[in-house]
Amino acid sequence: MVQEIDICDLVHSLSEAVDLMDKRVSKHHNRVAYIAFKIGQAFGLPMNELQELQIAGYLHDIGALTLEERLDIHKFESKELHLHAELGYLLLKEFIPFQRVANIVRYHHTYYRDSNSEVPIASHILHLADRIETQIEKDKYILNQVDSIKEKIVKNKDIMFSPELVDAFLSLAEKEYFWLDAMNPSIINILSKGNKPLPMLLDMKGLLDISKLFSQIIDFRSHFTATHSAGVAASAEKLALLAGFSDEDAYKMRISGYLHDLGKLAVPSSILEKQGKL
């Protein structure tokens, strides 16, 4: 079985699952994806690179495995930001279609002044977009915040951020629609309208690889469950074969095993890590 899917739709579903962790980080990935896409567009990136940037925006924080980590990286500056970026890279690079995206995620907290030729321009754009989003106070009217956000970004020009990218952002910041769209509850529809579908042919092997990626993000949230989904997947497939299922249906059981704890992303780490009885 081979089916064509839009890879952006796929990664958005994963992003939404990760954002279930807490309402304080809800829609962060979507807003970063939108801001990064618009800055990249203003900077003149071609569509294929814009699509990779958008995917990186959706997935850039998947290496932050606990709510505490997610909240910490929402600070404008933090000493621990590179840890989740490296883990995100390690998770993503195993899935072949995401290898270039993995590299973008790996360097997305590298300061402009500390960068070298290994750091892609997309990483600098993602870093800028991420820091812009963290400065937005979600309970206040967005247009009243524009000047303070611009001031904070300009203050770090040539240090944290590329001057050319800051200039691209400042040109966008003059447009009210940019900010209003960024805060729109239906931002995913706005992203879809401004983008072309990114088709990918997905067979059962590809579906299995994606389900493995999902399971690692789920299971790595707790050291108690680091290999749990892999064990369930292998057991489910074997039991299905013993029960007389076809090879294809048993394979589907394996995929289901990798995904069975997807809802755990919405469970606080304080519960997952709690000692003793609940």
Side-chain angles (χ1 to χ4, degrees), residues 173-274:
E174 298 302 315
K175 300 174 173 64
E176 289 188 355
Y177 79 83
F178 168 72
W179 298 103
L180 296 174
D181 284 352
M183 299 307 295
N184 193 315
S186 301
I187 190 172
I188 184 61
N189 296 328
I190 295 169
L191 277 164
S192 298
K193 288 179 182 177
N195 207 343
K196 294 180 180 179
L198 188 58
M200 180 177 71
L201 292 176
L202 194 69
D203 57 11
M204 291 294 285
K205 172 63 167 57
L207 185 57
L208 180 69
D209 289 342
I210 290 172
S211 68
K212 283 182 181 178
L213 172 60
F214 274 54
S215 75
Q216 289 173 329
I217 295 167
I218 298 162
D219 288 351
F220 286 3
R221 290 194 62 213
S222 170
H223 69 277
F224 293 118
T225 61
T227 60
H228 172 67
S229 292
V232 170
S235 300
E237 182 179 35
K238 186 65 175 178
L239 288 169
L241 290 170
L242 291 171
F245 283 43
S246 67
D247 288 347
E248 181 177 344
D249 285 343
Y251 201 80
K252 291 177 181 176
M253 288 294 293
R254 185 178 174 189
I255 292 170
S256 299
Y258 280 123
L259 298 175
H260 79 282
D261 267 347
L262 184 61
K264 193 183 289 183
L265 288 171
V267 178
S269 57
S270 59
I271 293 178
L272 296 178
E273 296 288 336
K274 184 179 185 297

Side-chain angles (χ1 to χ4, degrees), residues 65-79:
L65 302 176
T66 68
L67 176 60
E68 291 73 20
E69 287 178 282
R70 290 291 303 277
L71 293 176
D72 185 58
I73 60 182
H74 277 64
K75 300 173 185 175
F76 195 76
E77 294 185 75
S78 173
K79 295 179 180 179

